[in-house]
């Protein structure tokens, strides 16, 4: 039943899109204009011929100052391939929609946050043809919400707090205040938020505490929306495991193989690939006999 922190960290903004603009305004102190409307868009950036490319979450915000595309990327670790993919996403989206894209990176790691916040500058030393400056939400700037009253005032922000800070001595206060606040919102939203937090808690003690707190509210775990989140988490876990096995065994993983595995949403197929990864001598062996 363990889900994927990668999925949870960006899907929370699909569940409550307004949380993203509140985070920009209150956490990062970016003067982003108040949106009248926010709509989710198709995350597929694939062109007719090239390799498939997808952002994690894509939202369109309508404001008095114009229309903005909010591109949300969940980032678990430092990945220098983003130096190429993030500028591509932004330029492609601008060309497609003709409105300003804004890149927001969400992470649970301080080291990853520091890396992601560095501008990506393309060009030569004294003249940059393109500069990308991500806005980063992580454990160093997302507020720590330990009071029940604070959590009730903004439940989605309290969920984000638990997802980024749910470890160490502050974990009990964070999780207990959130557990109480979840009782004040509709069960459908609460069911999904519970799974988001469960997916992101890396500390075994914190995860067990969270599950103990939720034991008294069993409908959270049985709710069909929560099951959907769990299913997506299982798919993400299996994708990552397949690639990780190849990497552990010292087998180079070409970008085309990585993209194909990451795009697959069939658990049975991913299970076959994971088993093949144990014995493969080349990454392409995953797709033998297909």
């Amino acid at each position: 039943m363990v889900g994927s922190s990668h999925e949870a960290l960006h899907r929370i903004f699909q569940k409550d899109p307004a949380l993203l603009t509140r985070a920009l305004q209150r956490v990062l102190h970016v003067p982003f204009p108040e949106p009248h409307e926010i709509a989710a868009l198709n995350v597929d950036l694939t062109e007719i011929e090239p390799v498939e490319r997808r952002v994690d979450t894509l939202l369109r915000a309508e404001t008095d100052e114009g229309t903005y595309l909010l591109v949300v990327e969940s980032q678990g670790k430092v990945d220098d391939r983003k130096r190429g993919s993030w500028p591509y996403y932004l330029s492609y989206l601008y060309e497609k929609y003709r409105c300003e894209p804004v890149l927001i990176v969400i992470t649970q790691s301080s080291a990853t946050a520091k890396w992601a916040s560095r501008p990506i500058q393309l060009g030569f030393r004294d003249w940059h043809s393109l500069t990308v400056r991500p806005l980063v939400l992580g454990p160093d700037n997302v507020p720590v919400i330990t009071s029940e009253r604070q959590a009730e005032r903004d439940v989605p922000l309290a969920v984000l707090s638990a997802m980024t800070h749910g470890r160490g001595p502050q974990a009990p206060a964070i999780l207990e205040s959130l557990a109480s606040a979840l009782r004040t919102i509709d069960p459908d939203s609460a069911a999904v938020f519970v799974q988001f937090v469960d997916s992101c808690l890396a500390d075994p003690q914190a995860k067990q505490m969270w599950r103990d707190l939720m034991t008294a509210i069993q409908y959270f775990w049985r709710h069909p929306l929560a099951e959907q989140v769990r299913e997506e988490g299982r798919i993400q876990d299996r994708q990552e495991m397949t690639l990780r096995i190849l990497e552990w065994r010292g087998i180079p993983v070409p970008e085309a193989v990585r993209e194909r595995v990451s795009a697959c949403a069939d658990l049975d197929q991913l299970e076959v690939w994971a088993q093949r990864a144990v014995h493969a001598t080349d990454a392409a062996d995953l797709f033998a006999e297909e």
Side-chain angles (χ1 to χ4, degrees), residues 63-199:
T63 78
D64 286 339
E65 298 180 17
T67 301
Y68 294 90
L69 297 177
L70 304 179
V71 184
V72 185
E73 285 282 282
S74 172
Q75 194 66 30
K77 60 183 180 180
V78 173
D79 182 355
D80 286 332
R81 292 174 303 165
K82 299 300 183 181
R83 176 178 167 83
S85 58
W86 284 345
Y88 171 88
Y89 295 164
L90 299 184
S91 58
Y92 176 88
L93 288 167
Y94 179 78
E95 178 64 21
K96 180 176 181 178
Y97 292 101
R98 288 294 168 176
C99 50
E100 302 295 337
V102 180
L103 175 62
I104 301 104
V105 178
I106 173 77
T107 182
Q108 295 175 288
S109 162
S110 293
T112 302
K114 183 177 180 180
W115 162 80
S117 64
R118 293 201 297 264
I120 299 170
Q121 297 175 321
L122 304 181
F124 57 90
R125 185 180 59 186
D126 297 321
W127 189 275
H128 301 124
S129 301
L130 177 65
T131 299
V132 174
R133 298 179 60 200
L135 294 165
V136 182
L137 294 167
D140 296 327
N141 54 20
V142 172
V144 177
I145 297 179
T146 57
S147 120
E148 184 177 334
R149 181 173 297 179
Q150 279 182 299
E152 289 179 359
R153 279 202 298 265
D154 193 337
V155 175
L157 187 60
V159 172
L160 188 61
S161 177
M163 290 162 64
T164 51
H165 297 289
R167 65 180 67 189
Q170 297 184 103
I174 293 171
L175 298 178
E176 286 173 3
S177 63
L178 176 57
S180 297
L182 286 173
R183 297 175 183 271
T184 67
I185 64 175
D186 69 277
D188 285 357
S189 296
V192 177
F193 286 150
V194 166
Q195 288 299 313
F196 286 167
V197 174
D198 187 79
S199 297

Side-chain angles (χ1 to χ4, degrees), residues 1 175-183 190-191 193-195 197-198 201 207-222:
M1 191 165 67
L175 298 178
E176 286 173 3
S177 63
L178 176 57
S180 297
L182 286 173
R183 297 175 183 271
F193 286 150
V194 166
Q195 288 299 313
V197 174
D198 187 79
L201 291 174
K207 186 181 286 285
Q208 188 57 54
M209 177 186 176
W210 181 242
R211 293 184 174 182
D212 290 344
L213 286 168
M214 294 298 102
T215 297
I217 320 174
Q218 286 297 318
Y219 66 85
F220 282 155
W221 305 103
R222 295 195 300 265

